Amino acid sequence: MKKILTIAGTRPQLVKIAAVSRILRESFQEILVNTGQHYDYNMAGVFFDELNIPKPDYDLGIGSDSHGRQTGKMLIALEEIVDKEQPDAIIVYGDTNSTLAGAIIASKRHIPLIHIEAGLRSYNKLMPEELNRVMTDHVSTLLFTPTETAVRNLQKEGITEGVYTVGDVMYDAVIYNMELAERRFNLQNFDLVSKQYYLGTIHRAENTDTKEQLTAILKAFSKVEEKVYLPLHPRTKNKIKEYGLASLLTDSTNIHIVEPVSYLEMLLLEKNAKAIITDSGGVQKEAYFMKVPCVTLRLQTEWIETVEYGWNQLVDPLTEDLAEVLKYIQEGLPINNLYGSGDAAVKITNILKEMLK
Ligand code: UD1
Ligand code: UDP
């Protein structure tokens, strides 16, 4: 059996590997490396437990740090593992620092690099994610894209070989887990009533790293007329504390801050929300999969199809009124299978079987 080394380490990557590893392991020996970029139980461990992700072969325990130090520490550890394991290919997902570290080591060691969720662009080079994905795509051997937009983005940069549109592995994950989520959890567990609350998530650097931007977002949430249920990413929680913004939350009776929830809990919360307010890439798409309208608190999105088809609206909290936008949000739009058919992992595995024959 050919050997594939998978590198992951953040919350969204755990959701993605759960969907792919299950299928991949039927045909390949997979060595799983967890960088440990995310490490709180509710950001990492719960995903391993709930989604039955195989125990990692290597737990690097890198944790949080500045971009250079975090990526550098990953590189040092990964080099040793790659040299020892001599894999036939390396898989990385998405656009985090764990993705970039994997991409660098694969290219330096001349091992075929497989990028899942390739070709996405915001065309905003101030975002760490944009830098990570551009650099990763340019050293990838196989690029699995979720959309045709992503293929065109790659073409513009001269990348045309090894590009395959397979759909979105996060759609595979939703299809596989939605029923399970509804069997295991109930909205009453959260003291919520279906379609009588908004679900929010905020964590992007561009939204949390200046006091002005984060203040504008929290004020926007506090003006929304119905309950806003907010499972808060630790980055955002830390920034609220650092900037002394906690009073904005305690003064508002409609914002309900909770710890990050598990994936199955999140699916249930998304499906029953009146609308979703987010800056997360994964959550924007999940809103679409659940047929729930979405407001994205960013100036650009990589998932432009959701905006084009009316499911998602970009809102700048500095200049626009979120509460007003939510009053007129569109519901019941048609669904067009923008992200494939939920069999991305099967397609990826089949192409890998051909390539690594
Ligand atoms: C990272 C990714 C981002 C992705 C997000 C998913 C990069 C550059 N960014 O952002 O693309 O959308 O993950 O959630 O890779 N922290 C904890 N506990 C944890 C993890 C993080 O307390 O388990 C706190 C730490 O204060 C840390 C901060 O969150 O400094 C940011 O974590 P980091 O992994 O650097 O970036 P994210 O914002 O999570
Ligand atoms: N998610 C979760 N619990 C939460 C928030 C998000 O399980 O409290 C899931 C969400 O359903 C999606 C993934 O985490 O599958 C998205 O991760 P995140 O928003 O951290 O990163 P991004 O997609 O923006 O890179």
Side-chain angles (χ1 to χ4, degrees):
M1 245 187 191
K2 296 281 182 177
K3 192 194 271 189
I4 294 185
L5 190 107
T6 294
I7 298 167
T10 62
R11 172 167 73 181
Q13 289 166 335
L14 299 179
V15 173
K16 293 166 200 173
I17 58 169
V20 176
S21 289
R22 198 176 49 247
I23 310 288
L24 191 76
R25 284 179 184 231
E26 290 170 7
S27 311
F28 293 98
Q29 179 195 357
E30 185 184 43
I31 306 288
L32 180 58
V33 181
N34 176 15
T35 63
Q37 180 172 341
H38 287 171
Y39 44 88
D40 291 345
Y41 181 72
N42 58 25
M43 293 294 290
V46 68
F47 294 83
F48 280 95
D49 292 347
E50 200 177 59
L51 302 178
N52 292 320
I53 300 172
K55 191 177 154 23
D57 299 274
Y58 297 91
D59 262 313
L60 305 188
I62 302 290
S64 308
D65 215 324
S66 65
H67 286 271
R69 288 174 60 92
Q70 188 182 52
T71 314
K73 284 194 247 171
M74 288 177 194
L75 268 178
I76 294 168
L78 287 171
E79 185 170 59
E80 211 169 290
I81 295 168
V82 166
D83 287 350
K84 180 173 156 221
E85 295 287 350
Q86 296 289 317
D88 297 293
I90 292 181
I91 296 186
V92 295
Y93 289 85
D95 51 23
T96 71
N97 289 346
S98 300
T99 316
L100 179 63
I104 295 174
I105 210 63
S107 57
K108 292 272 185 184
R109 283 291 187 255
H110 311 296
I111 294 167
L113 176 66
I114 294 142
H115 187 199
I116 297 182
E117 210 177 72
L120 298 178
R121 296 291 182 268
S122 64
Y123 296 105
N124 174 0
K125 285 221 168 119
L126 293 175
M127 289 177 69
E129 293 86 357
E130 183 77 354
L131 304 173
N132 290 343
R133 53 173 97 98
V134 169
M135 290 192 270
T136 301
D137 282 340
H138 280 264
V139 293
S140 290
T141 317
L142 285 187
L143 301 96
F144 290 117
T145 69
T147 61
E148 289 301 327
T149 311
V151 176
R152 286 192 292 276
N153 292 341
L154 291 170
Q155 274 166 356
K156 281 189 226 158
E157 293 169 26
I159 303 173
T160 52
E161 270 177 46
V163 178
Y164 296 88
T165 306
V166 290
D168 197 318
V169 297
M170 291 192 96
Y171 189 33
D172 294 24
V174 168
I175 289 176
Y176 189 82
N177 289 295
M178 192 67 230
E179 237 182 81
L180 189 60
E182 287 180 310
R183 262 187 279 130
R184 193 166 303 169
F185 296 105
N186 190 306
L187 268 194
Q188 284 159 0
N189 305 142
F190 304 92
D191 206 14
L192 292 170
V193 177
S194 185
K195 303 297 165 188
Q196 291 186 21
Y197 65 93
Y198 295 107
L199 177 69
T201 78
I202 289 294
H203 75 274
R204 293 268 170 207
E206 68 213 76
N207 277 333
T208 57
D209 281 10
T210 65
K211 184 176 178 182
E212 187 196 14
Q213 184 73 10
L214 190 53
T215 305
I217 289 175
L218 297 181
K219 282 191 174 158
F221 279 138
S222 70
K223 284 194 209 135
V224 174
E225 280 164 17
E226 246 170 303
K227 191 182 266 196
V228 181
Y229 199 75
L230 207 55
L232 209 54
H233 190 291
R235 172 189 204 104
T236 317
K237 193 174 165 185
N238 293 341
K239 290 290 178 181
I240 288 172
K241 206 166 158 196
E242 185 186 322
Y243 301 145
L245 299 177
S247 63
L248 286 177
L249 301 171
T250 42
D251 293 350
S252 154
T253 49
N254 67 338
I255 304 182
H256 289 255
I257 299 224
V258 293
E259 289 292 311
V261 294
S262 76
Y263 180 66
L264 296 183
E265 290 175 318
M266 190 66 179
L267 292 186
L268 187 82
L269 290 170
E270 288 172 339
K271 189 171 176 190
N272 287 287
K274 192 168 171 179
I276 292 174
I277 310 157
T278 192
D279 61 4
S280 156
V283 175
Q284 287 174 61
K285 282 175 295 168
E286 286 165 354
Y288 172 77
F289 300 147
M290 310 280 175
K291 307 189 183 65
V292 173
C294 184
V295 171
T296 297
L297 298 180
R298 286 183 49 197
L299 301 180
Q300 316 87 16
T301 178
E302 298 75 20
W303 306 102
I304 58 165
E305 308 79 11
T306 56
V307 175
E308 282 165 7
Y309 284 84
W311 281 98
N312 190 2
Q313 210 172 319
L314 299 179
V315 168
D316 177 358
L318 286 176
T319 58
E320 290 169 88
D321 187 338
L322 172 66
E324 266 315 286
V325 170
L326 288 172
K327 277 187 203 159
Y328 301 106
I329 205 155
Q330 278 187 287
E331 289 174 80
L333 293 162
I335 283 278
N336 317 64
N337 269 13
L338 295 175
Y339 298 106
S341 338
D343 59 354
V346 172
K347 287 188 174 136
I348 289 168
T349 304
N350 286 340
I351 294 166
L352 288 178
K353 283 199 296 207
E354 268 305 300
M355 182 194 120
L356 297 174
K357 240 185 339 212

